[in-house]
Amino acid sequence: MSHEGACFLVPGPVRMAQNCLDAMATPTITARGPEYRDVMARLNSGLRCAFNISPSKPEKKTGSWAGEDDYKVIAVSGSGTAAMEMVLANRFRPNDRILVPTNGKFGERVAQMISRFAIVKHLEYEWGRAFDLGEIEEQLARGNWEGMAICHNETSTGITQDAVEIAEMCGRHGVSLILDAITSVGGLPVHPAEWNVEAVVVGAQKCTAGPSGIAAIAVNQKFIDRCKAIRLQGDSNPNYYLDILPALKKGEDDQTPWTPAINLAMGWAAALENLKNEGLESRWSRCAMMANGVRNLFTDLGFELLADEYSRSDTVTAIMYPEGIDDSWRTRLNEEYQTQVIGAQDHLKGKMFRVGSMGETPLDEMVEGCKRMILCFNDMGCDLPNLEVDPYFV
Ligand SMILES: Cc1ncc(COP(=O)(O)O)c(C=O)c1O
């Protein structure tokens, strides 16, 4: 079956399914009544599936935010950045030392954000290069680290960090690990319990195909205990809206401390039901199949990929423009071929484009989008080899 109409292949916000849109077009309900508790229970249960932690029932008064492991999920009204701020501001004290390796824009933002709440040691790697795990090990071995925070899937450069190795090192050195998993949760393998991650952050608009402006965290008991202890010691960073303690108090009752983003929560709960129905691992596989096809196709066409070979992400691919092409290609692709991909950030602006392979994007749309990208490169005078696109996506 071929795809007709526009192709929307950006690494978030992604297209929302009709049931998600319909769920948001619901008349107002109160934030404190049983109807909203039903919404929260469905949302919490769906989030536990996306986070790949133990399940809970999508029913109010059953402790839907918790499961059989020691993780709890908390929905945050705000985008992924707000959820990340909730984690960092509450978990660390101003004198804590945090190691932050980065290889792209979003990792750098993690470092920047932590600098407001704690002391950061920023290990800055070139955009697109994998972390030097030897250097990280060396740093960790020097001791005295309270935590390490990474952007697990670096959307700006198309890199997935080696979380298994990093988690093993953090575990060995007794260092708390925090993941910005905003473009990995729901799109590629994340194993919070196995990796013993203290906090994982996701944004709705990425791999879970929910609406923009709502996010969530999954935190383990150690994280919760630490936040409480810091508050008791009177040594916490200032915060109010993002204070985790009231959120923890209300969570048990399928509630939030402040007025929640009610309609966004309804939409996200529906999108997470789609994820549950597809199956988490099936979604990971579909994203991987799309990304693998894009990587192989564009490599065979002679393009250079930004990310180091063994670090390439399955939810976003960063592809360098050939000589003589810039972002005017993207404008033409959108105007003449109704196909959207995204550009680059900062110093790579105009030098590459990024293709998202996340959310509910069907394989056919990716295949059709790639065909149109090739046509558009041809229109702009690129002499590309004549390749059949479909076989790259089976
Ligand atoms: C990896 C990563 N972290 C953080 C963010 C920021 O998230 P938000 O825009 O939802 O605040 C993004 C957004 O693209 C991202 O891709």
Side-chain angles (χ1 to χ4, degrees):
M1 216 175 69
S2 64
H3 176 84
E4 285 176 10
C7 295
F8 195 67
L9 303 171
V10 306
V14 301
R15 191 187 288 119
M16 290 174 273
Q18 194 57 47
N19 67 327
C20 168
L21 296 172
D22 291 346
M24 288 191 284
T26 304
T28 308
I29 58 170
T30 74
R32 303 289 168 219
E35 295 106 318
Y36 190 68
R37 284 183 168 83
D38 283 332
V39 174
M40 276 305 290
R42 285 194 292 117
L43 178 60
N44 284 337
S45 177
L47 284 171
R48 295 194 65 87
C49 167
F51 276 117
N52 194 25
I53 52 182
S54 64
S56 68
K57 281 193 203 152
E59 289 161 26
K60 62 178 176 283
K61 297 189 175 169
T62 60
S64 61
W65 72 332
E68 281 183 356
D69 51 31
D70 71 346
Y71 285 87
K72 291 195 167 83
V73 293
I74 297 173
V76 181
S77 299
S79 73
T81 307
M84 195 66 190
E85 188 158 336
M86 180 186 253
V87 164
L88 301 174
N90 285 279
R91 172 60 181 81
F92 298 124
R93 297 167 302 173
N95 283 331
D96 285 338
R97 293 176 68 245
I98 319 298
L99 189 62
V100 187
T102 71
N103 47 14
K105 176 86 180 169
F106 293 106
E108 289 172 9
R109 272 202 205 158
V110 171
Q112 222 172 47
M113 200 189 292
I114 295 181
S115 73
R116 307 271 172 108
F117 306 115
I119 300 164
V120 180
K121 168 80 180 176
H122 186 180
L123 291 181
E124 208 171 343
Y125 298 104
E126 197 185 327
W127 285 30
R129 302 290 73 78
F131 292 164
D132 178 346
L133 296 179
E135 187 183 13
I136 293 175
E137 170 70 39
E138 230 171 73
Q139 285 289 341
L140 289 173
R142 290 183 192 171
N144 208 15
W145 298 105
E146 179 64 24
M148 173 143 128
I150 60 167
C151 175
H152 178 223
N153 188 68
E154 184 45 85
T155 323
S156 65
T157 54
I159 287 195
T160 304
Q161 323 296 354
D162 188 343
V164 173
E165 282 296 318
I166 290 168
E168 188 278 326
M169 284 194 262
C170 286
R172 201 157 24 80
H173 292 285
V175 170
S176 146
L177 178 61
I178 309 287
L179 293 187
D180 164 348
I182 286 171
T183 52
S184 41
V185 163
L188 50 83
V190 177
H191 300 279
E194 214 173 285
W195 299 345
N196 197 23
V197 182
E198 275 197 23
V200 187
V201 176
V202 67
Q205 79 276 23
K206 305 286 190 181
C207 305
T208 59
S212 304
I214 187 165
I217 62 178
V219 291
N220 70 8
Q221 195 56 44
K222 184 171 169 237
F223 180 99
I224 294 170
D225 292 344
R226 192 72 198 132
C227 293
K228 288 180 176 169
I230 288 172
R231 189 62 57 85
L232 277 178
Q233 289 161 5
D235 203 9
S236 53
N237 278 296
N239 60 62
Y240 190 87
Y241 187 74
L242 295 174
D243 188 344
I244 201 168
L245 298 190
L248 287 167
K249 216 164 167 182
K250 289 287 192 177
E252 193 61 50
D253 191 24
D254 309 307
Q255 284 276 291
T256 55
W258 329 123
T259 305
I262 298 175
N263 291 60
L264 300 185
M266 290 169 167
W268 200 9
L272 289 164
E273 266 159 29
N274 297 346
L275 170 58
K276 227 178 202 175
N277 290 339
E278 180 176 3
L280 184 60
E281 295 195 359
S282 305
R283 181 163 295 189
W284 293 347
S285 303
R286 181 169 48 74
C287 294
M289 188 183 256
M290 289 193 289
N292 196 46
V294 170
R295 286 193 293 262
N296 291 336
L297 172 65
F298 278 90
T299 304
D300 287 356
L301 286 167
F303 288 74
E304 193 190 321
L305 305 185
L306 176 71
D308 279 348
E309 186 170 1
Y310 296 105
S311 307
R312 290 175 185 158
S313 166
D314 281 342
T315 59
V316 55
T317 303
I319 305 171
M320 305 306 293
Y321 283 132
E323 194 69 31
I325 301 287
D326 58 22
D327 269 338
S328 55
W329 170 82
R330 277 197 311 118
T331 308
R332 194 157 170 178
L333 183 70
N334 189 18
E335 286 174 359
E336 292 180 22
Y337 291 97
Q338 293 74 53
T339 295
Q340 290 191 60
V341 293
I342 208 102
Q345 289 152 302
D346 290 2
H347 62 284
L348 291 177
K349 230 181 201 139
K351 295 188 174 134
M352 65 166 206
F353 63 104
R354 292 173 295 150
V355 180
S357 49
M358 58 177 69
E360 299 181 34
T361 307
L363 209 56
D364 298 332
E365 184 174 349
M366 182 60 79
V367 171
E368 178 60 26
C370 286
K371 288 178 182 171
R372 296 180 193 179
M373 288 181 227
I374 293 171
L375 287 174
C376 192
F377 277 118
N378 288 337
D379 291 347
M380 292 188 74
C382 293
D383 188 18
L384 301 179
N386 194 8
L387 296 178
E388 279 283 330
V389 171
D390 299 69
Y392 284 88
F393 293 91
V394 288

